[in-house]
Amino acid sequence: MSAPVDALGAFLSRRSAVCGPSALFWQLLLGFVCAGYAVGAALGWGSRQLSLFMGDFGLSAAALVAAVSCFLYARAVGSRFRPAWLLFSFSSLMAAGGNAVWGWYEVVLGREVPTPSLADVLFLCFAPPAIVGLLVLAKRPVTRAGWVCLALDAWLIGGSLLTLSWSLALAHTAHLVDAEGASVARAALSLAYPLLDIVLVSMVLALHFRRVGADRSAVNTAVAALAVTVLSDALFTSPLLRQNYHSGQLLDAGWFAGSLLLAYAPWGANRAADNAVPREEPQSASRPVAGSLAALTPYLAAAVCTLGILYNVIEGRRVDRVVVLTGCAVVLALVVRQGIMLVDNIALTQELAQKENHFRSLVQGSSDVIMIAAPTGVLRYVSPAAAGVYGRDADELVGAELSSIIHPDDLGRVVHEVRRFLAAPPGEEPTTRIECRFRSGTGDWLNVESTVNRHQGGLILNSRDVTERVRLQAQLQHNAEHDPLTDLPNRALFTKRVRQALGGRRAGDQGTAVLFIDLDGFKSVNDRLGHQTGDELLVQAAHRLHESVRSGDTAARLGGDEFAAIILGDGTRDQAARECQVHEIADRLRVTLSQPYRIGVGDVRVAASIGVAFAEPGISPSDLMRNADLAMYRAKAGGKNRVELYAPQMQAEVVRRSELSARLRTALRDGEFALLHQPVVHLASGTVAAVAAQARWRSAQGILFTPAEFLRVAEDSDRTAELGRWLLEEAVAQAAERARAGHPAPVAVRLPARRLLDKGLPFSSVEALLTRHGLPSGALMIEVADSDPRISFDELEQRLVALRRLGVRIALDGFGSGYAAINALRRLPIDVLKLDRGLVEGVVESARLHKITSGLLRIACDLGMQSVADGVDLPEQVHALRAMGCTHGQGMAFSGPLDEYRLRRALARGEFPVPGTGTGRPVLTGGSTRSGGSHVETTVPPT
């Protein structure tokens, strides 16, 4: 841990200021121009006239450039520093005017500049705007004492400079002017220049340590420009230089450079700062040194003042009254300032102590643990909260390595994060968050979340115990990926495991297999024994499944009674052997899941249908799971309680069924359905007692589908309901037309029981349908199909009673099949009992079926019901059924399904030959026939 922390100083100490190529160009150009002017001034410009011109109008042009530059910048920016740059512009404009007047006399008029003149007035107006501009740029004191200290600092600096300057030069200048008998104006001008320069220098020095942070580079450059100008003024006021000065000398180069530097300050300096790499302000020695110089300013000023007095004493001169008075004022200002600072220091000390106590109370009372680590990684401070959070005393942790309390598995990640954090710029990422495990006092590992900040080359860690949160998150993650009832992985996690099995190093292993498992008979367990028993069965089945797979495999519950398992490949190259092996595993699993389940005081039995699909190169997880699902449904369709391997033709069958289902949705709209009728014949006389309506679908491709075929794909309940409405309305309409044509015959329409309970088909709509087409209610018979255990017999009974009150006759279709047949016969209002074709087909060959059928017919006779045998295709069946007391028959022994034209011919004839009383050949079969029942493919002739 110490290695990354040691690098903190290196990261924080890296400082670079890279200026862009544009800023570098302007800086080089500025230096080149100033150097060229200095060289020209040093060489005398080649002629007296050019020297005077460059010394006057050259300086005027430079000052004018500075004035325009500062003015344009003041208009371009909208900050509170605009007045400062306007004042700098005005100050430079005064300097430009003064030099222009000076040049007018020397160059244009060719004579010396009079004293005093307009140039002197303009030069004197240079310093005051610059001084006020510096005040605007300075950081304003926030208290009254701050303003007093600022004024005292300025006086201390100015007074010390005045003392020193008066001792060195100004006293001599004053005596010289007095000796020459000059006027008061000239004497004032002689002393005004140096005094204003002293004030300007005092403001520059006093405000140097009070600069604001904004536009710092521009302010520094402007202060440097004014410093160069003041330095040139100071040299100009010295008696030695002033006596021999003329325009165009080397001294003019200082004023020229100061003006151009001021012109460059707002634009070039800011551009250089913008192009520089963003960096944090240095925290090293520059700030302490700056603060020390600011604190030493009063003492330095007093020292300068003392040196001025000592200079006069050492030289044996009489101490000038100006020096004495100024020195006394400086000392008095120093005493006052120290008194103010003493009071401020006392107040600051009290405030600091109060804040320190407040901070200590916050740290010690915080529930979070605050730790400070040195750059070496050693803990220098640990708050008392460590005893409650970590179970370890703070004193015990102080001096320990931070890495010693971090879990070894997390240490590498923590070191990497600390290094990344220290390498990032502090301005962009002031803090980071690290979560790792800390060792507690009991030796356990606690999940700790720490907010990390930089602190004096080290780190501050604000840590809190998040163990319970981590446990809760892990529990929530577990709940999101596992089934709440069985605790097996759910579909989401199972899909993730399948994706992992198909990727990585197992990507080419085709021995990986997915098993889809469905519990056969589980729904009946729920219906008979309740959902609590069903849930217990699912829990036991999940436990058996989990115990049956290997540790590397995954068993999951996908929902309801559907489970799945993934069997990872073992690298076997023999695919046939692998398929046989997985098939054996799936079969053993089927046997295991089919064993009785001990629930409560009894045993519950269910079976298992399992579909198996093997991985193929490039197959996706969803496709592999879909293949296993298809194989499982094939196993259920093949008789249940079996194992089925996926084959590509299964997908082709699904595609075919999907396409057929899609075409079925538009078949009714496009008029592709036709209605056929099969006569129901009285077995004793051969007369037609009724006709059974049957739907046929001729697709656009010319394929004719029987109800058994197209209803198998009509899984959409909306399509089934729409087909049922069409069948009922079309049958009633055609029956009414036949009755009006003189062929009255009741029509039987087969409807599922769940369709009868559909709210979209109330009995009032049946009554309205009969009324609209003018068909007597007794001419309609509803054949109640199937006995879905989900159907409520109470609701079905009420529905059938309502229909029967209308006069509609009720037939129980498919009697003899299904567990609820007797219950339906007992509770429902039935007029006609229609035997299932499964009984009729074996009534001649099977003595057992003969007895069952005979018993059912006796029940119908005893209950006063008519009986209809469905699927009577052979003469022998007619003989047997008539002998057992069956009253009516329907099948190929008499006629196949007929279209409307042939049906009317049959009704006009009135009867069919009954086998045994005449020829046994079926008549009016509607074209080519095939043995096997009434639901076979039949050619539908055009009507």
Side-chain angles (χ1 to χ4, degrees), residues 115-128:
T115 303
S117 66
L118 179 62
D120 296 319
V121 176
L122 294 175
F123 284 139
L124 288 176
C125 292
F126 168 80

Side-chain angles (χ1 to χ4, degrees), residues 923-940:
V923 296
L924 296 177
T925 58
S928 61
T929 62
R930 184 174 65 184
S931 176
S934 58
H935 295 299
V936 294
E937 294 185 7
T938 306
T939 302
V940 182

Side-chain angles (χ1 to χ4, degrees), residues 120 132 218 286 535 814 922 934:
D120 296 319
V132 178
S286 61
D535 290 346
S934 58

Side-chain angles (χ1 to χ4, degrees), residues 474-485:
Q475 183 63 41
L476 292 176
Q477 181 69 21
H478 179 85
N479 294 341
E481 295 181 341
H482 289 77
D483 176 59
L485 178 63

Side-chain angles (χ1 to χ4, degrees), residues 724-906:
R725 287 193 295 269
W726 176 87
L727 176 62
L728 180 60
E729 184 164 355
E730 192 70 14
V732 170
Q734 292 188 16
E737 291 180 3
R738 288 193 298 270
R740 286 191 291 270
H743 304 292
V747 61
V749 180
R750 184 176 183 269
L751 294 176
R754 63 180 180 275
R755 175 69 189 124
L756 289 171
L757 295 179
D758 188 358
K759 295 181 179 180
L761 186 67
F763 70 91
S764 57
S765 64
V766 176
E767 182 181 11
L769 179 64
L770 295 174
T771 303
R772 185 169 69 252
H773 292 285
L775 183 69
S777 57
L780 175 63
M781 181 167 62
I782 300 296
E783 296 179 354
V784 181
D786 68 48
S787 54
D788 193 335
R790 294 172 295 181
I791 297 299
S792 171
F793 268 103
D794 294 335
E795 296 181 8
L796 183 59
E797 181 181 7
Q798 295 175 6
R799 177 72 173 131
L800 295 180
V801 168
L803 290 174
R804 203 177 185 195
R805 288 174 181 169
L806 295 176
V808 178
R809 302 179 67 197
I810 305 299
L812 183 61
D813 187 38
F815 186 74
S817 65
Y819 71 92
I822 299 300
N823 192 29
L825 187 64
R826 178 177 65 86
R827 299 188 56 182
L828 301 181
I830 304 300
D831 299 307
V832 178
L833 194 66
K834 194 169 186 178
L835 294 178
D836 184 70
R837 63 182 298 109
L839 297 176
V840 176
E841 287 176 352
V843 72
V844 177
E845 295 83 359
S846 173
R848 186 180 185 89
L849 283 179
H850 189 281
K851 291 182 180 180
I852 293 175
T853 305
S854 178
L856 294 177
L857 290 173
R858 282 197 299 273
I859 292 175
C861 182
D862 293 342
L863 293 176
M865 301 178 183
Q866 292 182 356
S867 55
V868 178
D870 188 15
V872 182
D873 299 331
L874 302 174
E876 294 82 0
Q877 296 172 347
V878 177
H879 286 295
L881 290 169
R882 185 170 56 190
M884 284 186 279
C886 184
T887 59
H888 296 80
Q890 172 186 341
M892 299 302 295
F894 305 104
S895 173
L898 304 174
D899 60 10
E900 187 66 19
Y901 173 76
R902 300 190 182 212
L903 177 61
R904 293 195 180 191
R905 287 181 55 192

